[in-house]
Amino acid sequence: MLWKCGANVYEYRRERERRFKGDVRRVQAMVGVQEAAHPRLVTPGEVISQDTSFMRGHGTYMEKGVQVASVAGYVTRVNRLITVTPLRQMYQGAVGDTVVGRITRVQTNRWKVDVNSRLDAELRLSNIQLPGGEQRRCNVEDERDMRALLTEGDLVCVEVQKICDDGLLRLAARNIKFGKLSQGTLLAVSPSLIVQDKQRMHDLPCGARVVFGANGYVYITPTVPQEQASTYIVNFEEVPVEVRKTIGRLRNCIKLLAHHSIMISPTSVMTAFDMSIEQEFEIKDLLKPDVMQDVALATVQSMNE
Amino acid sequence: MADISLSEAEKRYIVDGVKLGIRVDGRERLDYRQLEIETGLVSTANGSARVRLGCTDVLITVKMEMEPPPPQQPKDGQIHFFVNCSANAAPEFEGRGGEDLATSLSAMLDRLYSSPLSLDTSRLCVVPGKHVKVLYVDVEILECGGNLFDTVSLGVKAALWATRMPRIYITGEDGGELEFMVSDNPQEVDRVDVSNAPILITHLRITENLTVIDPTPEEECCGPVQVVVGVTPKGLITTTQQLGAGTFAPQTLSASLKSAQELGVKIHHQLMQRLQQEESIPNRKTKGFL
């Protein structure tokens, strides 16, 4: 009886260590620390260094001659520059990022898009590829028909073209791969959990397409054939049950990865997906906290091998 | 509830899913999300409970006061409900935005507990005609993630179950006025009998003759109309209410009522099992909000 209790306590401690190591590893991968040293985590108001010769980077400020952190994150030091990179922050935007956004307003010649940031971003009519295929200048009729292309509530996959001085993002959808998103389901996670990747749209081997928006909006949709005449006509065909099961499982896997602060990338999502099938969990079982924890631990373990 | 906008494509995906029997998160039509209940959080109240169903979070507290009863009901105690939609729960609850929802919720709870069979208020009487116990139930909506009515009713039942009222003794009479002594002994407590307390079950009609239980905010956006049914542990329906602008076909309505009855009995049984399990843990430390 005693032996059994001892084994349980040992398991619990090992599990907690595993989770902490997972967090540390995620931060280490971002910081690029070679040694096995734990990265230094600071909270807002914590004194980083008393040395005034250091240059103050982002995330710090000087108070009474000492350098203090202004955000909760980890400290990085490059020569004489100290910065604090926050662990979680709102999406700031970077030129060239692919994001998923929701149209909130239709204005004269632009749409306002919610991209999980401080301000709603702007998508101008002149920055999208108009239907008809060939490049042409937009005219008055196009301005009146804006709602026919994109209306309030629609989801779009677009690229960040420019960041204005006040933080407003200018978006563009000049390529055939950008445009209105078809049937599927949207998930919102913290943008800090999305792995940096040139390619954002992935056709996963399980039979679904996932768009990992850099702003934390992840959209899961059934795989569509590459040839599409116009990206502004939505396919309303009924999605079959098998594909729905895949999408539901993927959705629950991404939710549980986000809940356990595991970085979200096509690899980690597919690993979690395969683990959940291997351990024979039903899709709705993945909503239970103990099952979520099991799959998360199994994913981290499998990815470290 | 919370206003979120969805694209036509997303709505179609949700509606087709319900028709095919598999919802967005893999649940079936009549499945609930994960339910977490904890009682005894607020030490300054006679009873408290916190319920979390998916993303919906509510906090319920029960306080007991002694008051003179109204003349038409001299031998019955009373129960009053007050709901507050915190501005943290949803952006549209800012200022007075949450008042409509709060009034409809408290009206629903009043109707639910209006029958003497649900809650025996005669046991709350101390001195007939002079002093009765009044239970003030305060509901605070902390986070709105779909299916508010069910969560609140489960929380109210849990909070009433956890309510401990100190025993009141009548020590003597002093010139027409009765003297009371409130017991200091923590073991001498009176409890509220919740064996017949009902809960609410919400059916959301998504498409013709198909309803879903425990809708998420996205599903609530797709469905025009809901019916809320109050069910006792024995399977009796105490109250029904239709919410939203829409219609119910007679077959759909009777099917929803029947499934609400069956589900209600199961949920009551599981809820009481869990609450009794929680109570049997000695020296339980409350987890609270962390």
Side-chain angles (χ1 to χ4, degrees), chain B residues 82-289:
Chain B
F82 177 70
V83 178
N84 182 33
C85 292
S86 150
N88 289 332
E92 61 267 8
F93 290 161
E94 193 191 359
R96 299 184 67 170
E99 263 187 33
D100 287 334
L101 182 60
T103 16
S104 72
L105 257 172
S106 24
M108 191 71 202
L109 288 170
D110 277 329
R111 277 173 57 181
L112 195 63
Y113 282 88
S114 57
S115 159
L117 295 171
S118 327
L119 194 69
D120 195 2
T121 44
S122 60
R123 289 176 54 168
L124 295 173
C125 179
V126 181
V127 179
K130 292 248 174 79
H131 297 275
V132 294
K133 292 183 192 167
V134 180
L135 295 172
Y136 288 101
V137 182
D138 291 309
V139 178
E140 185 79 25
I141 315 280
L142 299 169
E143 202 181 333
C144 194
N147 201 17
L148 217 44
F149 283 73
D150 293 20
T151 322
V152 167
S153 68
L154 285 165
V156 166
K157 178 158 182 169
L160 286 173
W161 158 265
T163 306
R164 306 271 189 275
M165 302 179 285
R167 204 155 291 169
I168 300 176
Y169 297 103
I170 303 172
T171 43
E173 204 166 323
D174 177 23
E177 286 292 317
L178 290 166
E179 279 181 358
F180 296 103
M181 184 194 84
V182 178
S183 165
D184 276 339
N185 189 352
Q187 308 294 332
E188 281 185 2
V189 284
D190 287 327
R191 300 183 64 167
V192 180
D193 180 20
V194 290
S195 53
N196 270 325
I199 58 167
L200 294 169
I201 304 213
T202 309
H203 274 271
L204 173 77
R205 182 175 79 79
I206 288 228
T207 168
E208 304 97 48
N209 41 32
L210 280 179
T211 58
V212 292
I213 292 259
D214 190 18
T216 60
E218 289 85 21
E219 286 167 345
E220 279 179 356
C221 203
C222 297
V225 65
Q226 304 180 22
V227 70
V228 184
V229 187
V231 185
T232 65
K234 297 203 177 82
L236 289 172
I237 295 181
T238 58
T239 169
T240 56
Q241 169 137 1
Q242 187 174 328
L243 298 169
T247 55
F248 260 98
Q251 309 95 291
T252 326
L253 188 61
S254 49
S256 317
L257 293 177
K258 193 150 166 287
S259 70
Q261 270 179 309
E262 289 161 3
L263 261 179
V265 174
K266 276 192 229 165
I267 293 175
H268 272 292
H269 181 71
Q270 285 194 348
L271 175 68
M272 289 321 291
Q273 233 181 5
R274 283 275 174 261
L275 287 174
Q276 276 158 355
Q277 217 176 40
E278 191 196 35
E279 201 173 275
S280 64
I281 302 173
N283 301 332
R284 176 175 69 93
K285 288 204 193 97
T286 52
K287 251 180 115 186
F289 290 86

